[in-house]
Amino acid sequence: MPMNTQGRPTRIADNIATGGYAETTSGSKGLEQSEALIYERGSVEQCGVDLPEPKGTATRLGGLERKAELGMPGLSEPETMRHYVRLSRKNYAIDLGLYPLGSCTMKHNPRLNEKMARLPGFADVHPMQPASTVQGAYAVIGELAHWLMTLCGMPGVAMSPKAGAHGEFCGMMAIRAKLDADGLTHRRRVLVPESAHGTNPATAVQCGFTVDEIPADETGRVDMEAFKAKLGDDVAGIMLTNPNTCGLFERDIREIADLIHEAGGYFYCDGANFNAIVGRVRPGDLGVDAMHINLHKTFSTPHGGGGPGSGPTVLSDALAPFAPVPYVVLKDKHWELVEHEADAEGQPFGRMAAFHGQMGMFTRALTYMMSHGSDGLKQVAEDAVLNANYIQARLKHVMTPAFDGICMHEALFDDRFLKDTGVTTLDFAKAMIDEGYHPMTMYFPLVVHGAMLIEPTETESKSGLDRFIDTLEALSLAAKAGEVERFRAAPVHAPTRRLDETKAARQPVLRWTAPAAEEPVAAE
């Protein structure tokens, strides 16, 4: 991949100077405001509030008072409010348009879910309240656990993991606890296909296992001969993503499960792509022993921006006794929380988190499930797969699908259609920004050169998909027609231009400092 042009202008004023925008006095574009850094807008000599000098500060701080100025910019309340509102308007969101990130399931989040999560009894609940005061919250956790076990065909579930990777950690720790309980401490090798999510090998290492990679075959799925060759009496299990990161269903998944079990290992399935099969396939029927479920992907609340997330982990008969505490149980119509290992049934491997899980995500997910019903959840998967295949079918004449045949919930293209055009995957993605679309996932999965991974989810209409497809088709034809500079300059209509990534990596600016005063120019 070629590096970006060094010294590329990035600021809005530079856009004007280089022809990105028509020139304006203010630097703004239409009703989109030009926004300087908050340090440039404010002044350290000013303060947005008028407060009296504090009295007795030195005494109360015990000599720990500040010795120098903070250097923070001072702005009035309206200026501060406008600054952050203007920044928020530069964000792209699922509420604005199609969000085609692959392997991320950025779907519409019904406002009903938010309304339920904001009910005082859920939004204001505290994890240390007496059990008698949080029976409704415990009931939500218990009901959600029942739905998850039913949808997955598995007898146990750990609700406390806070995210997908946390759920992976839970499942692999349960596998390790089971192996240790059976005296099989020599089993420390975990098989991980190339097409698995990147967190899988990292999680295995975190749990004390070594990772043995399995290559993909020409169809983008697990190479079965390579898999069979790696089986042995030191294998703890396999971590497989299904549908995999190439957006394909592993056709040999039952055989993989049977072979790993015959070898004495366990089958961990990464459930991040559960949106493609929910209501259609029960992972337990496929021989899965443990699988995390990203509630923030499959059951609404698009993730991003740091959270929140939730990654409950379903467990098979063999692993359910090792599920971590805490968990809720219903006794005589009263919900109780099992907090301590000594009070739990089975052999919990320990505790995953300080408290019980992510209550807001639990409430949203259960609301999503109950509003859809079992038939609606089945349709979620069907529509997600239909939308992805519609995109692939309509674009395959101008773009190049990475693999032949139908896909699951996401369509994967490579960069063969850009060969000899001088346009890269990155250039293509930047041009999408000028067209008003957030780029798809780029250069991932790594097994595909110049990858472009598109996941439309089930929540996009046909007309919305057609508009998106027409845009990508036009960009593909423009690249093939030799409009190279259009792509290399993109984005020109965004608030800022493409970053000089080489300079940013080699000369990072980690804090703002006022520019030095320029030397006066001597008169001739």
Side-chain angles (χ1 to χ4, degrees):
M1 180 183 74
M3 303 297 283
N4 287 335
T5 303
Q6 296 190 30
R8 183 187 301 275
T10 62
R11 299 169 66 88
I12 200 163
D14 298 325
N15 267 354
I16 294 169
T18 56
Y21 301 156
E23 184 173 356
T24 62
T25 302
S26 66
S28 300
K29 176 189 175 187
L31 297 180
E32 182 177 17
Q33 300 292 316
S34 174
E35 190 64 13
L37 297 176
I38 194 169
Y39 288 94
E40 296 169 321
R41 290 185 57 82
S43 169
V44 294
E45 290 81 22
Q46 298 174 348
C47 183
V49 294
D50 186 11
L51 298 173
E53 286 294 324
K55 297 179 180 180
T57 304
T59 302
R60 292 201 304 269
L61 292 176
L64 298 176
E65 64 272 14
R66 177 166 45 86
K67 305 297 184 184
E69 293 296 327
L70 285 175
M72 299 297 290
L75 294 88
S76 69
E77 183 176 333
E79 287 176 321
T80 305
M81 177 270 296
R82 286 171 181 163
H83 173 73
Y84 288 105
V85 168
R86 288 169 178 172
L87 290 182
S88 73
R89 292 184 63 179
K90 299 182 191 304
N91 288 336
Y92 190 85
I94 195 69
D95 292 347
L96 293 174
L98 188 150
Y99 220 127
L101 290 177
S103 281
C104 285
T105 316
M106 300 295 281
K107 65 167 76 177
H108 167 66
N109 177 36
R111 292 303 176 263
L112 172 64
N113 304 354
E114 295 301 317
K115 183 178 180 180
M116 294 299 101
R118 283 165 171 73
L119 290 174
F122 298 130
D124 300 336
V125 69
H126 193 282
M128 297 186 74
Q129 285 181 231
S132 60
T133 68
V134 288
Q135 286 295 296
Y138 286 173
V140 166
I141 297 174
E143 183 73 7
L144 177 60
H146 170 74
W147 275 77
L148 293 175
M149 289 186 289
T150 301
L151 287 167
C152 295
M154 313 260 294
V157 62
M159 298 296 293
S160 59
K162 298 294 187 68
H166 206 204
E168 289 178 27
F169 187 84
C170 176
M172 294 307 293
M173 285 300 293
I175 289 174
R176 175 164 177 159
K178 170 62 175 173
L179 292 171
D180 290 353
D182 292 343
L184 302 175
T185 56
H186 65 286
R187 288 188 176 271
R188 288 293 184 264
R189 184 162 56 97
V190 173
L191 308 181
V192 181
E194 285 182 349
S195 57
H197 279 145
T199 50
N200 293 173
T203 296
V205 171
Q206 282 287 93
C207 294
F209 296 105
T210 60
V211 174
D212 196 353
E213 188 175 64
I214 306 172
D217 63 18
E218 66 280 358
T219 71
R221 298 170 175 85
V222 172
D223 185 318
M224 289 301 292
E225 294 307 313
F227 166 66
K228 293 174 184 177
K230 290 179 180 291
L231 294 172
D233 63 4
D234 63 334
V235 170
I238 186 171
M239 295 186 77
L240 179 147
T241 304
N242 192 46
N244 67 27
T245 308
C246 297
L248 305 170
F249 193 86
E250 294 285 352
R251 300 192 193 99
D252 300 309
I253 190 167
R254 271 297 334 186
E255 184 180 1
I256 290 171
D258 292 341
L259 289 172
I260 201 72
H261 290 151
E262 289 173 11
Y266 294 91
F267 184 179
Y268 183 89
C269 184
D270 184 309
N273 292 336
F274 194 42
N275 199 62
I277 60 174
V278 62
R280 293 282 302 180
V281 178
R282 299 193 310 175
D285 297 338
L286 302 176
V288 172
D289 291 297
M291 185 183 85
H292 82 267
I293 303 165
N294 296 76
L295 296 185
H296 52 284
K297 288 186 177 188
T298 304
F299 302 110
S300 82
T301 316
H303 62 314
S310 185
T313 304
V314 289
L315 301 165
S316 65
D317 283 316
L319 300 184
F322 300 92
V325 292
Y327 58 86
V328 296
V329 292
L330 183 62
K331 294 183 178 179
D332 300 324
K333 298 182 180 181
H334 182 82
W335 289 96
E336 297 181 5
L337 186 71
V338 179
E339 286 263 28
H340 306 290
E341 296 176 47
D343 301 327
E345 297 181 4
Q347 302 169 260
F349 67 75
R351 190 181 188 98
M352 292 286 298
F355 296 112
H356 326 318
Q358 174 49 270
M359 193 66 225
M361 293 304 307
F362 293 161
T363 309
R364 292 179 180 92
L366 184 59
T367 303
Y368 183 88
M369 292 175 177
M370 296 181 74
S371 60
H372 278 74
S374 58
D375 57 335
L377 292 177
K378 177 172 175 284
Q379 186 178 346
V380 163
E382 292 171 347
D383 289 350
V385 173
L386 177 64
N387 282 354
N389 279 279
Y390 181 64
I391 287 177
Q392 180 176 275
R394 277 209 53 198
L395 286 176
K396 65 182 181 181
H397 71 290
V398 289
M399 297 174 65
T400 43
F403 301 101
D404 294 332
I406 62 172
C407 58
M408 290 295 288
H409 61 304
E410 49 196 358
L412 176 60
F413 298 92
D414 57 31
D415 61 357
R416 284 175 294 166
F417 73 99
L418 296 174
K419 186 179 179 181
D420 300 327
T421 64
V423 176
T424 68
T425 293
L426 180 65
D427 295 332
F428 193 88
K430 296 298 184 182
M432 288 175 62
I433 296 175
D434 278 337
E435 297 288 346
Y437 285 107
H438 191 288
M440 71 288 280
T441 297
M442 302 179 299
Y443 299 110
F444 181 80
L446 300 178
V447 294
V448 171
H449 192 274
M452 303 177 208
L453 187 60
I454 302 171
E455 180 179 359
T457 78
E458 74 285 354
T459 54
E460 298 300 331
S461 66
K462 181 178 180 297
S463 60
L465 292 178
D466 284 336
R467 185 167 177 264
F468 175 74
I469 292 166
D470 290 344
T471 300
L472 265 60
E473 181 180 36
L475 288 175
S476 301
L477 294 174
K480 294 174 182 179
E483 299 179 27
V484 182
E485 289 308 313
R486 168 186 176 183
F487 289 87
R488 290 182 178 173
V492 297
H493 298 306
T496 57
R497 299 291 296 275
R498 196 188 309 191
L499 295 177
D500 178 351
E501 296 182 3
T502 304
K503 185 175 182 180
R506 295 176 180 172
Q507 301 176 28
V509 178
L510 303 180
R511 66 177 182 176
W512 184 86
T513 55
E518 294 184 6
E519 293 292 330
V521 179
E524 294 183 0

